[in-house]
Amino acid sequence: MAACAPPNAKRGRLVSGPGPGRQPEAGVFPNVSPQHKPRRTCIGCRTTGEQDQLTRWVVEAGEGGNAVVADPSRRRSGRGAWLHPSPECAALAVKRRAFARAFRAPADAVTLEAVLAALGAFPRGSRAETTVQPESGSEN
């Protein structure tokens, strides 16, 4: 019987990590470029854009049912839906009933006025200028 090779032995397999006694270089991730920015699909116009250009929406359970609320900090729990902060995309999302489909849960009747009012609460361009930590689960 042949002797077992150590787990890091090069036997036709890729070896993970920098190797014994070596430290990985600081800030080097081989699969992610420094210019990488997460991309999301707008539920209104169905085009993709950078995450910092779209507004995240979540469904919030309450005593009256499920309410759709904006999540500018991108920290609320639950499944999120992404929408461009424009009245055109908001109108398309409400018309197509895209919120309930994106959440995979029943959402109370989402009105265009409510979405536009929530969008109006954010000054234009303010989200792109602030640094936001990655959303839950995207740190990998």
Side-chain angles (χ1 to χ4, degrees):
M1 178 143 240
C4 291
N8 287 343
K10 295 181 182 179
R11 299 182 68 213
R13 290 180 254 148
L14 293 176
V15 178
S16 64
R22 292 178 48 199
Q23 296 295 320
E25 295 178 36
V28 175
F29 296 99
N31 296 331
V32 180
S33 71
Q35 297 84 19
H36 172 76
K37 291 191 178 182
R39 299 187 61 81
R40 303 288 183 254
T41 302
C42 173
I43 62 171
C45 63
R46 303 292 301 158
T47 60
T48 60
E50 292 181 2
Q51 176 177 310
D52 58 355
Q53 301 300 317
L54 281 83
T55 304
R56 183 173 187 260
W57 295 79
V58 294
V59 67
E60 192 171 83
E63 63 278 348
N66 294 334
V68 176
V69 295
D71 182 17
S73 64
R74 300 180 186 139
R75 288 285 177 236
R76 292 186 186 232
S77 64
R79 188 174 179 87
W82 297 84
L83 183 70
H84 282 113
S86 70
E88 295 83 16
C89 287
L92 282 171
V94 170
K95 178 182 176 183
R96 295 175 49 236
R97 298 182 184 136
F99 284 102
R101 191 176 318 111
F103 295 132
R104 297 183 185 172
D108 288 347
V110 180
T111 63
L112 180 59
E113 293 80 23
V115 174
L116 291 177
L119 285 176
F122 307 119
R124 283 244 190 245
S126 66
R127 288 180 303 277
E129 297 164 1
T130 60
T131 303
V132 177
Q133 297 296 320
E135 65 187 43
S136 175
S138 65
E139 291 87 13
N140 296 337

